[in-house]
PDB file of all heavy atoms in Angstrom:
ATOM      1  N   ALA A   1       0.834  -1.199   0.000  1.00 58.00           N
ATOM      2  CA  ALA A   1       0.000   0.000   0.000  1.00 58.00           C
ATOM      3  C   ALA A   1       0.873   1.254   0.000  1.00 58.00           C
ATOM      4  O   ALA A   1       1.938   1.289   0.624  1.00 58.00           O
ATOM      5  CB  ALA A   1      -0.912   0.002   1.215  1.00 58.00           C
ATOM      6  N   ASP A   2       0.409   2.254  -0.696  1.00 56.00           N
ATOM      7  CA  ASP A   2       1.137   3.519  -0.787  1.00 56.00           C
ATOM      8  C   ASP A   2       0.671   4.430   0.339  1.00 56.00           C
ATOM      9  O   ASP A   2      -0.283   5.190   0.206  1.00 56.00           O
ATOM     10  CB  ASP A   2       0.874   4.173  -2.145  1.00 56.00           C
ATOM     11  CG  ASP A   2       1.663   5.474  -2.321  1.00 56.00           C
ATOM     12  OD1 ASP A   2       2.627   5.687  -1.553  1.00 56.00           O
ATOM     13  OD2 ASP A   2       1.299   6.262  -3.206  1.00 56.00           O
ATOM     14  N   ILE A   3       1.341   4.332   1.490  1.00 61.00           N
ATOM     15  CA  ILE A   3       0.989   5.170   2.633  1.00 61.00           C
ATOM     16  C   ILE A   3       2.233   5.889   3.130  1.00 61.00           C
ATOM     17  O   ILE A   3       3.367   5.537   2.778  1.00 61.00           O
ATOM     18  CB  ILE A   3       0.381   4.355   3.798  1.00 61.00           C
ATOM     19  CG1 ILE A   3       1.426   3.376   4.374  1.00 61.00           C
ATOM     20  CG2 ILE A   3      -0.870   3.620   3.367  1.00 61.00           C
ATOM     21  CD1 ILE A   3       1.072   2.858   5.732  1.00 61.00           C
ATOM     22  N   ASN A   4       2.002   6.887   3.952  1.00 69.00           N
ATOM     23  CA  ASN A   4       3.090   7.660   4.524  1.00 69.00           C
ATOM     24  C   ASN A   4       3.687   6.920   5.717  1.00 69.00           C
ATOM     25  O   ASN A   4       3.013   6.691   6.723  1.00 69.00           O
ATOM     26  CB  ASN A   4       2.569   9.033   4.966  1.00 69.00           C
ATOM     27  CG  ASN A   4       3.668   9.890   5.581  1.00 69.00           C
ATOM     28  OD1 ASN A   4       4.802   9.869   5.113  1.00 69.00           O
ATOM     29  ND2 ASN A   4       3.333  10.632   6.618  1.00 69.00           N
ATOM     30  N   VAL A   5       4.955   6.513   5.600  1.00 65.00           N
ATOM     31  CA  VAL A   5       5.646   5.872   6.722  1.00 65.00           C
ATOM     32  C   VAL A   5       6.218   6.980   7.599  1.00 65.00           C
ATOM     33  O   VAL A   5       6.967   7.835   7.131  1.00 65.00           O
ATOM     34  CB  VAL A   5       6.765   4.938   6.234  1.00 65.00           C
ATOM     35  CG1 VAL A   5       7.518   4.341   7.414  1.00 65.00           C
ATOM     36  CG2 VAL A   5       6.185   3.834   5.355  1.00 65.00           C
ATOM     37  N   GLN A   6       5.851   6.947   8.867  1.00 77.00           N
ATOM     38  CA  GLN A   6       6.196   8.044   9.774  1.00 77.00           C
ATOM     39  C   GLN A   6       6.807   7.506  11.055  1.00 77.00           C
ATOM     40  O   GLN A   6       6.276   6.578  11.674  1.00 77.00           O
ATOM     41  CB  GLN A   6       4.924   8.838  10.099  1.00 77.00           C
ATOM     42  CG  GLN A   6       5.064   9.856  11.213  1.00 77.00           C
ATOM     43  CD  GLN A   6       3.708  10.320  11.717  1.00 77.00           C
ATOM     44  OE1 GLN A   6       2.861  10.760  10.938  1.00 77.00           O
ATOM     45  NE2 GLN A   6       3.486  10.215  13.014  1.00 77.00           N
ATOM     46  N   ASP A   7       7.939   8.078  11.453  1.00 80.00           N
ATOM     47  CA  ASP A   7       8.530   7.731  12.737  1.00 80.00           C
ATOM     48  C   ASP A   7       7.683   8.310  13.869  1.00 80.00           C
ATOM     49  O   ASP A   7       6.714   9.031  13.629  1.00 80.00           O
ATOM     50  CB  ASP A   7       9.959   8.285  12.822  1.00 80.00           C
ATOM     51  CG  ASP A   7      10.909   7.541  11.894  1.00 80.00           C
ATOM     52  OD1 ASP A   7      10.646   6.360  11.609  1.00 80.00           O
ATOM     53  OD2 ASP A   7      11.900   8.150  11.444  1.00 80.00           O
ATOM     54  N   LEU A   8       8.078   8.015  15.094  1.00 89.00           N
ATOM     55  CA  LEU A   8       7.304   8.439  16.260  1.00 89.00           C
ATOM     56  C   LEU A   8       7.093   9.949  16.269  1.00 89.00           C
ATOM     57  O   LEU A   8       8.019  10.731  16.040  1.00 89.00           O
ATOM     58  CB  LEU A   8       8.021   8.015  17.537  1.00 89.00           C
ATOM     59  CG  LEU A   8       7.234   8.196  18.834  1.00 89.00           C
ATOM     60  CD1 LEU A   8       6.046   7.239  18.879  1.00 89.00           C
ATOM     61  CD2 LEU A   8       8.151   7.991  20.038  1.00 89.00           C
ATOM     62  N   SER A   9       5.856  10.350  16.545  1.00 92.00           N
ATOM     63  CA  SER A   9       5.510  11.772  16.588  1.00 92.00           C
ATOM     64  C   SER A   9       6.255  12.487  17.703  1.00 92.00           C
ATOM     65  O   SER A   9       6.629  11.896  18.729  1.00 92.00           O
ATOM     66  CB  SER A   9       4.007  11.940  16.806  1.00 92.00           C
ATOM     67  OG  SER A   9       3.271  11.386  15.754  1.00 92.00           O
ATOM     68  N   ASP A  10       6.449  13.779  17.514  1.00 94.00           N
ATOM     69  CA  ASP A  10       7.041  14.628  18.545  1.00 94.00           C
ATOM     70  C   ASP A  10       6.123  14.634  19.770  1.00 94.00           C
ATOM     71  O   ASP A  10       4.911  14.815  19.632  1.00 94.00           O
ATOM     72  CB  ASP A  10       7.185  16.059  17.996  1.00 94.00           C
ATOM     73  CG  ASP A  10       7.977  16.960  18.926  1.00 94.00           C
ATOM     74  OD1 ASP A  10       7.578  17.102  20.101  1.00 94.00           O
ATOM     75  OD2 ASP A  10       8.979  17.536  18.471  1.00 94.00           O
ATOM     76  N   PRO A  11       6.674  14.436  20.964  1.00 94.00           N
ATOM     77  CA  PRO A  11       5.839  14.432  22.175  1.00 94.00           C
ATOM     78  C   PRO A  11       5.002  15.697  22.329  1.00 94.00           C
ATOM     79  O   PRO A  11       3.865  15.635  22.820  1.00 94.00           O
ATOM     80  CB  PRO A  11       6.867  14.314  23.308  1.00 94.00           C
ATOM     81  CG  PRO A  11       8.064  13.691  22.688  1.00 94.00           C
ATOM     82  CD  PRO A  11       8.088  14.164  21.273  1.00 94.00           C
ATOM     83  N   ARG A  12       5.533  16.845  21.895  1.00 96.00           N
ATOM     84  CA  ARG A  12       4.766  18.089  22.001  1.00 96.00           C
ATOM     85  C   ARG A  12       3.516  18.039  21.128  1.00 96.00           C
ATOM     86  O   ARG A  12       2.478  18.612  21.484  1.00 96.00           O
ATOM     87  CB  ARG A  12       5.647  19.274  21.607  1.00 96.00           C
ATOM     88  CG  ARG A  12       6.792  19.548  22.578  1.00 96.00           C
ATOM     89  CD  ARG A  12       7.779  20.541  22.013  1.00 96.00           C
ATOM     90  NE  ARG A  12       8.451  20.007  20.816  1.00 96.00           N
ATOM     91  CZ  ARG A  12       9.402  20.660  20.155  1.00 96.00           C
ATOM     92  NH1 ARG A  12       9.790  21.863  20.554  1.00 96.00           N
ATOM     93  NH2 ARG A  12       9.967  20.105  19.096  1.00 96.00           N
ATOM     94  N   GLU A  13       3.597  17.345  19.986  1.00 95.00           N
ATOM     95  CA  GLU A  13       2.435  17.216  19.116  1.00 95.00           C
ATOM     96  C   GLU A  13       1.392  16.281  19.732  1.00 95.00           C
ATOM     97  O   GLU A  13       0.185  16.515  19.600  1.00 95.00           O
ATOM     98  CB  GLU A  13       2.876  16.693  17.746  1.00 95.00           C
ATOM     99  CG  GLU A  13       1.775  16.613  16.703  1.00 95.00           C
ATOM    100  CD  GLU A  13       1.199  17.962  16.314  1.00 95.00           C
ATOM    101  OE1 GLU A  13       1.725  19.017  16.736  1.00 95.00           O
ATOM    102  OE2 GLU A  13       0.185  17.958  15.575  1.00 95.00           O
ATOM    103  N   ILE A  14       1.853  15.242  20.416  1.00 95.00           N
ATOM    104  CA  ILE A  14       0.928  14.346  21.108  1.00 95.00           C
ATOM    105  C   ILE A  14       0.156  15.119  22.177  1.00 95.00           C
ATOM    106  O   ILE A  14      -1.074  15.016  22.278  1.00 95.00           O
ATOM    107  CB  ILE A  14       1.684  13.162  21.744  1.00 95.00           C
ATOM    108  CG1 ILE A  14       2.318  12.292  20.657  1.00 95.00           C
ATOM    109  CG2 ILE A  14       0.761  12.333  22.629  1.00 95.00           C
ATOM    110  CD1 ILE A  14       3.204  11.170  21.185  1.00 95.00           C
ATOM    111  N   ILE A  15       0.872  15.916  22.947  1.00 96.00           N
ATOM    112  CA  ILE A  15       0.229  16.710  24.005  1.00 96.00           C
ATOM    113  C   ILE A  15      -0.748  17.718  23.409  1.00 96.00           C
ATOM    114  O   ILE A  15      -1.868  17.892  23.904  1.00 96.00           O
ATOM    115  CB  ILE A  15       1.297  17.420  24.867  1.00 96.00           C
ATOM    116  CG1 ILE A  15       2.154  16.378  25.605  1.00 96.00           C
ATOM    117  CG2 ILE A  15       0.656  18.394  25.849  1.00 96.00           C
ATOM    118  CD1 ILE A  15       3.402  16.942  26.251  1.00 96.00           C
ATOM    119  N   ARG A  16      -0.366  18.351  22.316  1.00 94.00           N
ATOM    120  CA  ARG A  16      -1.234  19.348  21.674  1.00 94.00           C
ATOM    121  C   ARG A  16      -2.515  18.700  21.163  1.00 94.00           C
ATOM    122  O   ARG A  16      -3.620  19.211  21.362  1.00 94.00           O
ATOM    123  CB  ARG A  16      -0.503  20.038  20.519  1.00 94.00           C
ATOM    124  CG  ARG A  16      -1.293  21.195  19.899  1.00 94.00           C
ATOM    125  CD  ARG A  16      -0.609  21.731  18.651  1.00 94.00           C
ATOM    126  NE  ARG A  16      -0.713  20.815  17.514  1.00 94.00           N
ATOM    127  CZ  ARG A  16      -1.812  20.702  16.759  1.00 94.00           C
ATOM    128  NH1 ARG A  16      -2.898  21.409  17.034  1.00 94.00           N
ATOM    129  NH2 ARG A  16      -1.829  19.851  15.742  1.00 94.00           N
ATOM    130  N   LYS A  17      -2.366  17.555  20.513  1.00 93.00           N
ATOM    131  CA  LYS A  17      -3.528  16.863  19.969  1.00 93.00           C
ATOM    132  C   LYS A  17      -4.459  16.369  21.085  1.00 93.00           C
ATOM    133  O   LYS A  17      -5.693  16.387  20.939  1.00 93.00           O
ATOM    134  CB  LYS A  17      -3.078  15.673  19.119  1.00 93.00           C
ATOM    135  CG  LYS A  17      -2.460  16.054  17.783  1.00 93.00           C
ATOM    136  CD  LYS A  17      -3.542  16.444  16.788  1.00 93.00           C
ATOM    137  CE  LYS A  17      -2.987  16.570  15.384  1.00 93.00           C
ATOM    138  NZ  LYS A  17      -4.049  16.928  14.409  1.00 93.00           N
ATOM    139  N   CYS A  18      -3.859  15.946  22.185  1.00 95.00           N
ATOM    140  CA  CYS A  18      -4.652  15.498  23.321  1.00 95.00           C
ATOM    141  C   CYS A  18      -5.511  16.646  23.857  1.00 95.00           C
ATOM    142  O   CYS A  18      -6.720  16.502  24.063  1.00 95.00           O
ATOM    143  CB  CYS A  18      -3.739  14.945  24.414  1.00 95.00           C
ATOM    144  SG  CYS A  18      -4.624  14.359  25.878  1.00 95.00           S
ATOM    145  N   LYS A  19      -4.896  17.781  24.078  1.00 94.00           N
ATOM    146  CA  LYS A  19      -5.641  18.931  24.607  1.00 94.00           C
ATOM    147  C   LYS A  19      -6.716  19.388  23.632  1.00 94.00           C
ATOM    148  O   LYS A  19      -7.813  19.799  24.040  1.00 94.00           O
ATOM    149  CB  LYS A  19      -4.664  20.065  24.920  1.00 94.00           C
ATOM    150  CG  LYS A  19      -3.743  19.753  26.101  1.00 94.00           C
ATOM    151  CD  LYS A  19      -2.780  20.905  26.373  1.00 94.00           C
ATOM    152  CE  LYS A  19      -1.910  20.604  27.588  1.00 94.00           C
ATOM    153  NZ  LYS A  19      -0.932  21.688  27.862  1.00 94.00           N
ATOM    154  N   GLU A  20      -6.419  19.318  22.344  1.00 92.00           N
ATOM    155  CA  GLU A  20      -7.398  19.707  21.326  1.00 92.00           C
ATOM    156  C   GLU A  20      -8.614  18.785  21.370  1.00 92.00           C
ATOM    157  O   GLU A  20      -9.765  19.243  21.267  1.00 92.00           O
ATOM    158  CB  GLU A  20      -6.741  19.647  19.949  1.00 92.00           C
ATOM    159  CG  GLU A  20      -7.640  20.029  18.795  1.00 92.00           C
ATOM    160  CD  GLU A  20      -6.930  19.895  17.458  1.00 92.00           C
ATOM    161  OE1 GLU A  20      -5.848  20.496  17.293  1.00 92.00           O
ATOM    162  OE2 GLU A  20      -7.452  19.167  16.583  1.00 92.00           O
ATOM    163  N   SER A  21      -8.376  17.486  21.525  1.00 92.00           N
ATOM    164  CA  SER A  21      -9.472  16.527  21.597  1.00 92.00           C
ATOM    165  C   SER A  21     -10.305  16.757  22.856  1.00 92.00           C
ATOM    166  O   SER A  21     -11.544  16.762  22.810  1.00 92.00           O
ATOM    167  CB  SER A  21      -8.911  15.102  21.582  1.00 92.00           C
ATOM    168  OG  SER A  21      -9.936  14.145  21.627  1.00 92.00           O
ATOM    169  N   TRP A  22      -9.628  16.952  23.975  1.00 94.00           N
ATOM    170  CA  TRP A  22     -10.336  17.187  25.234  1.00 94.00           C
ATOM    171  C   TRP A  22     -11.185  18.458  25.188  1.00 94.00           C
ATOM    172  O   TRP A  22     -12.246  18.517  25.797  1.00 94.00           O
ATOM    173  CB  TRP A  22      -9.338  17.284  26.370  1.00 94.00           C
ATOM    174  CG  TRP A  22      -8.769  15.967  26.797  1.00 94.00           C
ATOM    175  CD1 TRP A  22      -9.086  14.727  26.323  1.00 94.00           C
ATOM    176  CD2 TRP A  22      -7.757  15.763  27.779  1.00 94.00           C
ATOM    177  NE1 TRP A  22      -8.331  13.766  26.955  1.00 94.00           N
ATOM    178  CE2 TRP A  22      -7.519  14.372  27.844  1.00 94.00           C
ATOM    179  CE3 TRP A  22      -7.028  16.616  28.613  1.00 94.00           C
ATOM    180  CZ2 TRP A  22      -6.586  13.823  28.726  1.00 94.00           C
ATOM    181  CZ3 TRP A  22      -6.100  16.076  29.482  1.00 94.00           C
ATOM    182  CH2 TRP A  22      -5.886  14.688  29.537  1.00 94.00           C
ATOM    183  N   SER A  23     -10.705  19.457  24.471  1.00 91.00           N
ATOM    184  CA  SER A  23     -11.453  20.716  24.398  1.00 91.00           C
ATOM    185  C   SER A  23     -12.819  20.520  23.740  1.00 91.00           C
ATOM    186  O   SER A  23     -13.734  21.314  23.947  1.00 91.00           O
ATOM    187  CB  SER A  23     -10.643  21.776  23.626  1.00 91.00           C
ATOM    188  OG  SER A  23     -10.606  21.482  22.237  1.00 91.00           O
ATOM    189  N   LYS A  24     -12.952  19.458  22.951  1.00 87.00           N
ATOM    190  CA  LYS A  24     -14.228  19.139  22.294  1.00 87.00           C
ATOM    191  C   LYS A  24     -15.029  18.102  23.074  1.00 87.00           C
ATOM    192  O   LYS A  24     -16.120  17.700  22.660  1.00 87.00           O
ATOM    193  CB  LYS A  24     -13.972  18.627  20.874  1.00 87.00           C
ATOM    194  CG  LYS A  24     -13.290  19.650  19.959  1.00 87.00           C
ATOM    195  CD  LYS A  24     -13.055  19.084  18.580  1.00 87.00           C
ATOM    196  CE  LYS A  24     -12.346  20.082  17.675  1.00 87.00           C
ATOM    197  NZ  LYS A  24     -13.164  21.280  17.428  1.00 87.00           N
ATOM    198  N   GLY A  25     -14.486  17.672  24.207  1.00 89.00           N
ATOM    199  CA  GLY A  25     -15.176  16.685  25.025  1.00 89.00           C
ATOM    200  C   GLY A  25     -14.981  15.252  24.578  1.00 89.00           C
ATOM    201  O   GLY A  25     -15.760  14.365  24.932  1.00 89.00           O
ATOM    202  N   TYR A  26     -13.907  15.000  23.800  1.00 92.00           N
ATOM    203  CA  TYR A  26     -13.674  13.657  23.269  1.00 92.00           C
ATOM    204  C   TYR A  26     -12.507  12.977  23.984  1.00 92.00           C
ATOM    205  O   TYR A  26     -11.475  13.611  24.243  1.00 92.00           O
ATOM    206  CB  TYR A  26     -13.320  13.710  21.782  1.00 92.00           C
ATOM    207  CG  TYR A  26     -14.357  14.311  20.885  1.00 92.00           C
ATOM    208  CD1 TYR A  26     -13.991  14.883  19.676  1.00 92.00           C
ATOM    209  CD2 TYR A  26     -15.704  14.312  21.229  1.00 92.00           C
ATOM    210  CE1 TYR A  26     -14.936  15.440  18.826  1.00 92.00           C
ATOM    211  CE2 TYR A  26     -16.654  14.864  20.397  1.00 92.00           C
ATOM    212  CZ  TYR A  26     -16.266  15.429  19.189  1.00 92.00           C
ATOM    213  OH  TYR A  26     -17.198  15.975  18.360  1.00 92.00           O
ATOM    214  N   PRO A  27     -12.615  11.673  24.269  1.00 94.00           N
ATOM    215  CA  PRO A  27     -11.436  10.919  24.675  1.00 94.00           C
ATOM    216  C   PRO A  27     -10.394  10.948  23.553  1.00 94.00           C
ATOM    217  O   PRO A  27     -10.741  11.065  22.370  1.00 94.00           O
ATOM    218  CB  PRO A  27     -11.969   9.501  24.885  1.00 94.00           C
ATOM    219  CG  PRO A  27     -13.429   9.684  25.157  1.00 94.00           C
ATOM    220  CD  PRO A  27     -13.837  10.855  24.317  1.00 94.00           C
ATOM    221  N   PHE A  28      -9.137  10.814  23.930  1.00 94.00           N
ATOM    222  CA  PHE A  28      -8.016  10.899  22.979  1.00 94.00           C
ATOM    223  C   PHE A  28      -7.241   9.593  23.023  1.00 94.00           C
ATOM    224  O   PHE A  28      -6.855   9.128  24.102  1.00 94.00           O
ATOM    225  CB  PHE A  28      -7.105  12.070  23.364  1.00 94.00           C
ATOM    226  CG  PHE A  28      -5.829  12.144  22.579  1.00 94.00           C
ATOM    227  CD1 PHE A  28      -5.828  12.547  21.258  1.00 94.00           C
ATOM    228  CD2 PHE A  28      -4.606  11.831  23.177  1.00 94.00           C
ATOM    229  CE1 PHE A  28      -4.646  12.631  20.535  1.00 94.00           C
ATOM    230  CE2 PHE A  28      -3.412  11.921  22.462  1.00 94.00           C
ATOM    231  CZ  PHE A  28      -3.443  12.321  21.138  1.00 94.00           C
ATOM    232  N   CYS A  29      -7.011   8.990  21.847  1.00 95.00           N
ATOM    233  CA  CYS A  29      -6.331   7.700  21.775  1.00 95.00           C
ATOM    234  C   CYS A  29      -5.087   7.787  20.898  1.00 95.00           C
ATOM    235  O   CYS A  29      -5.170   8.228  19.750  1.00 95.00           O
ATOM    236  CB  CYS A  29      -7.279   6.644  21.212  1.00 95.00           C
ATOM    237  SG  CYS A  29      -6.566   4.974  21.163  1.00 95.00           S
ATOM    238  N   VAL A  30      -3.938   7.353  21.440  1.00 95.00           N
ATOM    239  CA  VAL A  30      -2.714   7.254  20.643  1.00 95.00           C
ATOM    240  C   VAL A  30      -2.596   5.834  20.110  1.00 95.00           C
ATOM    241  O   VAL A  30      -2.824   4.857  20.823  1.00 95.00           O
ATOM    242  CB  VAL A  30      -1.451   7.621  21.462  1.00 95.00           C
ATOM    243  CG1 VAL A  30      -1.449   9.095  21.802  1.00 95.00           C
ATOM    244  CG2 VAL A  30      -1.339   6.782  22.735  1.00 95.00           C
ATOM    245  N   VAL A  31      -2.244   5.731  18.826  1.00 93.00           N
ATOM    246  CA  VAL A  31      -2.158   4.429  18.151  1.00 93.00           C
ATOM    247  C   VAL A  31      -0.830   4.353  17.416  1.00 93.00           C
ATOM    248  O   VAL A  31      -0.428   5.315  16.748  1.00 93.00           O
ATOM    249  CB  VAL A  31      -3.308   4.244  17.149  1.00 93.00           C
ATOM    250  CG1 VAL A  31      -3.278   2.836  16.553  1.00 93.00           C
ATOM    251  CG2 VAL A  31      -4.653   4.525  17.802  1.00 93.00           C
ATOM    252  N   SER A  32      -0.139   3.216  17.518  1.00 87.00           N
ATOM    253  CA  SER A  32       1.122   3.045  16.789  1.00 87.00           C
ATOM    254  C   SER A  32       1.081   1.769  15.968  1.00 87.00           C
ATOM    255  O   SER A  32       0.402   0.803  16.323  1.00 87.00           O
ATOM    256  CB  SER A  32       2.307   2.985  17.759  1.00 87.00           C
ATOM    257  OG  SER A  32       2.243   1.809  18.549  1.00 87.00           O
ATOM    258  N   SER A  33       1.806   1.762  14.862  1.00 74.00           N
ATOM    259  CA  SER A  33       1.917   0.554  14.047  1.00 74.00           C
ATOM    260  C   SER A  33       2.981  -0.354  14.647  1.00 74.00           C
ATOM    261  O   SER A  33       3.788   0.049  15.479  1.00 74.00           O
ATOM    262  CB  SER A  33       2.283   0.928  12.609  1.00 74.00           C
ATOM    263  OG  SER A  33       3.592   1.468  12.562  1.00 74.00           O
TER     264      SER A  33
END
C-alpha cells in the first residue's frame, strides 16, 4: 500500500492533539503501528 511511513511523533504534538481533543469533550487515543 502507498501510505506515509512516519517515525514516532514529537511528544509536544501528542500533548497538543490530546488537549485539542479534550477541548471538544472527546477521549483521545494514541495508536502506533
Side-chain angles (χ1 to χ4, degrees):
D2 183 17
I3 65 163
N4 180 38
V5 177
Q6 170 195 307
D7 290 333
L8 189 68
S9 298
D10 188 303
R12 293 169 296 183
E13 185 65 7
I14 295 174
I15 296 168
R16 186 187 72 79
K17 287 283 191 179
C18 180
K19 291 180 178 178
E20 180 182 305
S21 181
W22 285 357
S23 72
K24 298 180 181 296
Y26 300 155
F28 172 73
C29 183
V30 292
V31 185
S32 67
S33 67

